[in-house]
Amino acid sequence: MTAPLPNDIQALRLILWLAAGAMLLWLGIAGLPYSLPLLLGLWLAQGLMLLLTRRRSGQRWLLADMALLTALFGFSGGHTNPFVSLYLLPVVIALLAKAQQRALWVALAAVLGYSALMLVPDNMGWHRAGHYWGMWANTLLTIGVLLLFAAHLNKVLRRQEAAIGRLREQQLRSEQVMAVAAQAALAAHQLASPLSVARLNADELAEELADPRLAALQGALSRCAGQLQEVRQAAEPQPASGLALGALLADLAERFMLLRPATDLQLPKAPTALVRSDATLIPALLNLLDNAAHQGGQITLRLTEEGEHWLLRIDDGGPGLAPELARSLGQPLPSDRHPGPGLGLFLAHVSLERLGGFLRIQGDGERSWVEVGLRKA
């Protein structure tokens, strides 16, 4: 079992101190013949030690709390004190928190403390004031504390289950990306030779014939060769680095104009800032712009700041993505434009997530737009 975190230890000490305070409150209500100022002094000393050592996680402080709790019992009836079962509370909480090593030390301290109380002379003060009522109050206190701690533990477990679910989804997406990457690498290798032959034949024909269509063909083949080179570079692992927003938008606009020369792309004014980037960022954004270009002849980009991200909004003025695709963002689903795996949106989502960003769909009921979160470098 793992040891509890410092916050868990401090929470355990605080619960023990508050339970001792509830015991003293009951002593005052019952009017028992014990020195309440002395007991309050010990309790306040325990609280002061808790305050001064709140940032220290050593178990010696927890054992010191148990020693002060034993002193409180010793001056308030010893083993006849019905609240003596509070010794069990830190042991149970430590076990529920899966801190077995801490629980063993706390249990040992409880056994030694209870054994020492057995040596204290029997004081009949509790019996005269109603020992069974004290046991009743202690039972209610213990149940209440355990319920509160169990509710907190359930919240922690639910958060852990949600985190495990997210990790499983990320692992599944990673496996899908690896499969796509393997196919892309194989395709790039297989297309390299035919593309070289096609470029060589196009160059030879351009020397023999004065046809303007050959120049367009050469340009298209050159872009294909460049894309294959980028696929090969993206396959090589590279650490993320900082990229200026202005340079990112300028490079993106230049590539988009080659891809969609008839589409009007409105760029925002880029601030002087850096975002996390690697070889997959610009292709991912370019794919989103290409999807937006199918909706109209003008695309407007807006840039705002949102916490640890720069928010890039892609607005094409159209109705946006199909509802089923928007609801299943990040999964390889059929596209609403044409039959296919929808891998462009899927890969864009995974690429941004790996860089610490995000991709989400927003709308106002009539149309939708894409928001891209670029993580600040």
Side-chain angles (χ1 to χ4, degrees), residues 23-331:
M23 181 191 72
L24 297 182
L25 179 62
W26 183 261
L27 285 175
I29 295 175
L32 296 174
Y34 301 118
S35 177
L36 196 57
L38 174 61
L39 296 174
L40 285 175
L42 289 173
W43 183 70
L44 292 176
Q46 183 181 3
L48 180 62
M49 182 178 66
L50 176 63
L51 180 64
L52 295 177
T53 60
R54 64 185 184 277
R55 298 187 181 277
R56 302 178 184 179
S57 60
Q59 64 185 10
R60 62 181 182 275
W61 303 112
L62 183 57
L63 298 179
D65 291 331
M66 295 290 290
L68 285 174
L69 182 64
T70 301
L72 286 174
F73 288 143
F75 288 104
S76 59
H79 64 279
T80 65
N81 190 325
F83 287 88
V84 75
S85 60
L86 286 179
Y87 276 132
L88 300 176
L89 191 59
V91 179
V92 173
I93 292 177
L95 288 174
L96 289 176
K98 300 181 180 180
Q100 184 175 351
Q101 183 177 2
R102 303 284 184 179
L104 291 175
W105 282 104
V106 174
L108 179 60
V111 171
L112 293 177
Y114 205 159
S115 301
L117 292 179
M118 297 299 295
L119 303 178
V120 177
D122 190 4
N123 189 313
M124 301 302 294
W126 277 104
H127 294 287
R128 289 195 302 269
H131 186 269
Y132 295 111
W133 281 108
M135 294 175 62
W136 171 80
N138 177 53
T139 301
L140 294 184
L141 173 64
T142 304
I143 290 175
V145 171
L146 288 178
L147 285 177
L148 290 176
F149 188 82
H152 170 71
L153 185 61
N154 287 332
K155 291 181 180 179
V156 172
L157 292 177
R158 284 195 296 268
R159 288 197 297 266
Q160 290 179 347
E161 290 176 356
I164 292 174
R166 289 193 297 270
L167 288 176
R168 287 176 178 173
E169 291 178 1
Q170 292 178 359
Q171 182 180 5
L172 178 60
R173 287 197 296 266
S174 297
E175 292 175 355
Q176 293 171 334
V177 170
M178 290 299 296
V180 174
Q183 292 295 328
L186 179 61
H189 177 73
Q190 293 176 344
L191 289 175
S193 296
L195 185 60
S196 299
V197 174
R199 293 184 66 186
L200 180 60
N201 291 334
D203 292 340
E204 292 178 352
L205 288 174
E207 293 177 357
E208 298 175 0
L209 303 175
D211 193 335
R213 293 176 296 178
L214 292 175
L217 177 61
Q218 286 178 309
L221 292 175
S222 297
R223 287 197 297 271
C224 291
Q227 290 293 332
L228 285 180
Q229 183 63 28
E230 290 182 0
V231 170
R232 293 174 178 173
Q233 293 177 355
E236 300 176 358
Q238 296 178 356
S241 59
L243 178 62
L245 268 175
L248 172 63
L249 293 177
D251 192 4
L252 184 64
E254 181 180 356
R255 299 193 186 196
F256 183 72
M257 287 299 100
L258 293 176
L259 180 65
R260 295 279 186 174
T263 303
D264 182 19
L265 181 63
Q266 301 292 329
L267 295 178
K269 182 179 180 181
T272 304
L274 299 177
V275 294
R276 296 188 63 185
S277 173
D278 62 7
T280 65
L281 178 59
I282 291 182
L285 296 177
L286 193 61
N287 183 270
L288 296 176
L289 292 180
D290 183 50
N291 288 337
H294 286 272
Q295 301 297 334
Q298 181 175 350
I299 300 176
T300 302
L301 302 184
R302 294 181 176 87
L303 193 63
T304 57
E305 190 173 5
E306 183 180 292
E308 296 296 323
H309 298 84
W310 285 101
L311 192 62
L312 181 65
R313 172 173 166 174
I314 304 175
D315 193 350
D316 53 29
L321 295 173
E324 64 275 9
L325 190 59
R327 287 193 300 267
S328 304
L329 181 63
Q331 299 296 330

